[in-house]
Amino acid sequence: MAGGPREVLTLQLGHFAGFVGAHWWNQQDAALCRPTDAKEPPGELCPDVLYRTGRTLHGQETYTPRLILMDLKGSLSSLKQEGGLYKDKQLDAAIAWQGKLTTHKEEIYPKNPYLQDLLSAEGVLNSDGIWRVKSIPNGKGPPPFTTATTPKPVLPTEGSIRVWSDFLRVHLHPRSICMIQKYNHDGEAGRLEAFGQGESILKEPKYLEELEDRLHFYVEECDYLQGFQILCDLHNGFSGVGAKAAELLQDEYSGRGIITWGLLPGPYCLGEPQKNIYRLLNTAFGLVHLSAHSSLVCPLSLGGSLGLQPEPPVNFPHLQYDAALPFHCGAILATALDTVTVPYRLCSSPVSMVHLADMLNFSGKKVVTAGATIPFPLVPSQSLPDTLMQLGEATPWTPLSACGDPSGTCCFAQSVVLRGLDRACHTSQLTPGTPLPSPLHACTTGEEVLAQYLQQQQPRVRSSSHLLLTPCKVVPPYPYLFSSSFSQQGLVLDGPPTGAGFPFPSLRSSGEHPSARGPLLLFILEPGPGRFGQRSRQTRPAALGQLHGRWSGTG
């Protein structure tokens, strides 16, 4: 990347944002830990966009997410706020007080067995209190993959996961986690329920200064900061926290891109009218205020509706998930984010966050919606032109922003990413002289196939597309959500899909996960009486992962 990586600082605000973020960072970690002898394409995505290198006081080099995370008291479980990489008991301050001391110790949460197994695999805490991590190859990334025989890892089950930190497999920098102690995560009292409560948090000097200090720490070490991505709960008081954080970023870092992903969990209970009113108001206030201070805002939810009338959760024919589990919903949304953010994470010719937002904005309307088809239905004997031709004129994606049926809306711009598809499948595999079934089969590159398909589907739409060989990796603790009709390579096996009546699965004990791959599309809010466009994406389970991201708007 000419001139160095264009860094992005991630803000993760709220507990459901923590579930999505934990899966997101686990996927980034999985992409870094690929086998050295793997027959995979060279890196097309630059990890330095999201990660930073550092060094402990004992000279151990680290590679941690460029992340600021805010959550409530009691949400960390066994995860320490200061992390584990920089811990040093020898540097604890000596107590000068010579009088009587009384020690009050908070009950220690038991560590998830999965995390204990993970720590033992990545490093060791010496008797002198110094955490010794394994060496980092070439100054970045986690330890290289080894094929040596190791004990089978302990995998978490849905029942053992209470909070997002129970399955986070990456180490965080001590300046990443910022806890809001005045509100509780558990219980009925002291909850952060309203937008106004969230706004007031960043009006308090204590929390405002803490956020500003962390921002300055990360921003000042960046050479080419392109902007900020905010993962923010919309349904609770964190919508107010996100709005004030976006306002602060806009004031202090004018000209940088700010892309906000407003996150909501699955379907809600109709029997809780007061909570539903709060959820609706928080979402409405959040979208209005976030769009005022962000370059682009996209709500993401597997629920069917943002309103007071509940709708069934999003249905994917080849996925079996429990919409009531944040662990499942967060995994699907994180997989989508991993592809839809591809344009500004590329090693070569990246699209900046500002340019991406400018392309999709229309008359100042900055709210976009999302959708997906999961997985992308490619069979082993087919090529990309074959599959796209079979889709016909039907819209292949399902809305992911709980904004209703997008039919009848008009898309004016879109950014499309298709990843993880083997190069041999990019173009037609017909023998010379065979009549071409469609114009797509005459294309000579996969990029041309994708561009022509988009032009055929929506000839008046401005399209930007990317075709990547790099898969989207999903490994444990990512839940095994994929139908048995898909192979480890993400291809449709012979025989009908077995999604109907399939029980909600837990993690496979074998740890064999397909990677997700398929198209993703994003659409812009129409400048009119509340009509939304759509962003859609598709994912496929496979050892190769493919996601196709498209952003578009209505107008």
Side-chain angles (χ1 to χ4, degrees):
M1 183 182 297
R6 299 293 305 276
E7 301 97 341
V8 172
L9 174 57
T10 303
L11 277 70
Q12 192 173 297
L13 312 175
H15 200 67
F16 184 63
F19 274 88
V20 177
H23 280 297
W24 157 274
W25 294 113
N26 287 349
Q27 287 180 330
Q28 309 312 309
D29 182 72
L32 292 170
C33 297
R34 62 173 180 233
T36 55
D37 59 346
K39 296 180 180 179
E40 292 187 3
E44 296 167 295
L45 298 177
C46 179
D48 290 340
V49 172
L50 300 174
Y51 278 75
R52 61 177 296 278
T53 57
R55 191 177 296 275
T56 69
L57 296 175
H58 298 278
Q60 295 289 323
E61 195 164 3
T62 61
Y63 198 57
T64 54
R66 190 178 294 107
L67 168 69
I68 298 175
L69 181 157
M70 299 185 75
D71 210 337
L72 305 180
K73 179 182 179 182
S75 62
L76 292 184
S77 186
S78 60
L79 178 65
K80 295 184 180 298
Q81 182 173 344
E82 67 276 10
L85 290 179
Y86 293 79
K87 182 177 180 180
D88 188 353
K89 294 181 179 179
Q90 294 178 344
L91 299 179
D92 289 344
I95 301 176
W97 174 253
Q98 300 297 320
K100 183 178 179 181
L101 297 176
T102 302
T103 302
H104 298 271
K105 294 188 66 176
E106 188 175 10
E107 181 181 355
I108 299 177
Y109 286 94
K111 187 179 291 293
N112 191 302
Y114 168 74
L115 295 182
Q116 291 178 342
D117 180 78
L118 171 67
L119 291 175
S120 64
E122 294 191 352
V124 61
L125 184 65
N126 291 351
S127 59
D128 58 2
I130 301 174
W131 177 261
R132 302 293 186 187
V133 296
K134 291 183 179 179
S135 59
I136 299 176
N138 301 323
K140 61 181 65 175
F145 182 88
T146 176
T147 57
T149 302
T150 56
K152 181 178 290 188
V154 177
L155 299 180
T157 61
E158 279 85 351
S160 70
I161 295 174
R162 296 173 46 255
V163 294
W164 54 264
S165 57
D166 284 338
F167 64 94
L168 177 68
R169 59 170 289 118
V170 301
H171 293 289
L172 302 180
H173 190 274
R175 289 182 181 261
S176 282
I177 300 178
C178 176
M179 297 304 298
I180 301 174
Q181 299 292 344
K182 64 181 298 183
Y183 292 106
N184 298 319
H185 167 64
D186 294 315
E188 294 298 323
R191 304 297 296 272
L192 183 59
E193 297 179 307
F195 178 89
Q197 290 176 300
E199 272 194 320
S200 66
I201 287 175
L202 291 185
K203 292 179 181 178
E204 297 184 22
K206 172 186 175 181
Y207 294 108
L208 178 59
E209 291 174 5
E210 190 168 359
L211 177 59
E212 288 179 332
D213 288 345
R214 294 166 191 267
L215 284 172
H216 294 159
F217 171 78
Y218 286 112
V219 170
E220 290 171 3
E221 66 180 11
C222 294
D223 295 323
Y224 304 97
L225 179 70
Q226 64 169 307
F228 307 86
Q229 57 181 11
I230 303 176
L231 279 63
C232 176
D233 286 2
L234 279 184
H235 61 291
N236 54 35
F238 274 102
S239 61
V241 177
K244 293 301 291 184
E247 181 181 356
L248 173 65
L249 295 176
Q250 186 185 48
D251 291 342
E252 291 204 16
Y253 305 100
S254 177
R256 309 294 185 183
I258 303 173
I259 295 182
T260 300
W261 307 98
L263 305 171
L264 299 97
Y268 52 91
C269 178
L270 191 59
E272 300 177 330
Q274 184 175 359
K275 290 184 178 180
N276 292 336
I277 290 292
Y278 272 121
R279 179 190 54 80
L280 178 63
L281 292 176
N282 291 333
T283 302
F285 282 128
L287 289 175
V288 170
H289 288 265
L290 284 167
S291 62
H293 304 294
S294 302
S295 308
L296 209 62
V297 179
C298 178
L300 292 175
S301 173
L302 297 184
S305 171
L306 297 180
L308 290 177
Q309 186 64 35
E311 298 287 344
V314 174
N315 176 56
F316 300 98
H318 295 286
L319 290 185
Q320 300 89 33
Y321 75 99
D322 187 347
L325 292 179
F327 182 59
H328 283 187
C329 295
I332 295 174
L333 296 181
T335 302
L337 282 175
D338 191 39
T339 290
V340 80
T341 58
V342 157
Y344 56 83
R345 297 193 289 126
L346 292 170
C347 288
S348 176
S349 302
V351 178
S352 71
M353 301 175 81
V354 171
H355 179 76
L356 187 62
D358 287 344
M359 183 187 74
L360 300 173
N361 285 343
F362 182 78
S363 299
K365 305 297 184 180
K366 296 185 287 188
V367 178
V368 300
T369 63
T373 299
I374 304 177
F376 185 68
L378 183 73
V379 301
S381 60
Q382 284 186 337
S383 64
L384 179 59
D386 296 330
T387 305
L388 294 179
M389 184 187 68
Q390 289 179 0
L391 291 176
E393 297 182 359
T395 301
W397 45 85
T398 303
L400 279 188
S401 291
C403 294
D405 185 4
S407 60
T409 60
C410 299
C411 170
F412 72 87
Q414 60 190 4
S415 170
V416 181
V417 179
L418 175 60
R419 62 184 291 192
L421 186 65
D422 188 76
R423 192 182 297 277
C425 300
H426 285 187
T427 56
S428 174
Q429 301 171 0
L430 298 176
T431 56
T434 304
L436 299 179
S438 74
L440 298 178
H441 291 75
C443 298
T444 57
T445 65
E447 290 82 358
E448 186 181 349
V449 171
L450 185 57
Q452 183 156 334
Y453 170 76
L454 297 173
Q455 177 66 19
Q456 290 178 355
Q457 292 294 102
Q458 295 169 312
R460 301 169 62 183
V461 174
R462 179 186 179 188
S463 298
S464 171
S465 58
H466 296 86
L467 185 60
L468 276 68
L469 299 175
T470 304
C472 174
K473 296 291 188 180
V474 290
V475 298
Y478 193 96
Y480 192 86
L481 308 176
F482 306 105
S483 166
S484 58
S485 61
F486 279 83
S487 70
Q488 290 292 316
Q489 288 71 38
L491 302 176
V492 181
L493 301 175
D494 293 335
T498 58
F502 196 89
F504 295 127
S506 59
L507 292 173
R508 248 195 208 174
S509 59
S510 67
E512 295 178 358
H513 273 56
S515 296
R517 61 178 175 180
L520 287 177
L521 302 110
L522 176 74
F523 298 75
I524 292 256
L525 175 65
E526 180 185 26
R531 291 175 63 206
F532 282 80
Q534 172 199 22
R535 175 191 77 183
S536 154
R537 51 186 180 216
Q538 304 171 330
T539 55
R540 284 195 292 183
L544 285 177
Q546 172 189 347
L547 286 176
H548 159 173
R550 156 180 161 186
W551 307 42
S552 62
T554 61

